[in-house]
Amino acid sequence: MTTAPAELLTVPEVMARLKLGRSKVYDLIRSRRLTSLKIDGCRRIPADAVRAFVLGQIEEAA
């Protein structure tokens, strides 16, 4: 059984989804609060990681 590949987002796509600036997205990546990977020098963030980040923020706020 094969699983569907993870949707990978660019930093600008994450910026748009989270309504955050570029430096804040990179700060989240640097602090390991947002999982990312590099593919040939290009930073990509799994869509699941963005969802997990948002859910974590909601749980913290509750």
Side-chain angles (χ1 to χ4, degrees), residues 1-43:
M1 180 176 165
T2 60
T3 59
E7 179 186 8
L8 297 176
L9 305 172
T10 63
V11 170
E13 290 170 330
V14 174
M15 290 166 52
R17 287 188 184 200
L18 297 179
K19 309 286 192 278
L20 296 173
R22 182 178 181 273
S23 60
K24 184 60 181 178
V25 171
Y26 277 106
D27 181 50
L28 292 172
I29 291 168
R30 214 175 1 264
S31 65
R32 298 180 188 258
R33 293 174 63 201
L34 186 60
T35 303
S36 72
L37 55 124
K38 270 186 132 175
I39 302 172
D40 292 334
C42 299
R43 183 66 62 186

Side-chain angles (χ1 to χ4, degrees), residues 37-54:
L37 55 124
K38 270 186 132 175
I39 302 172
D40 292 334
C42 299
R43 183 66 62 186
R44 296 293 180 261
I45 301 97
D48 290 341
V50 176
R51 278 187 222 97
F53 172 76
V54 171

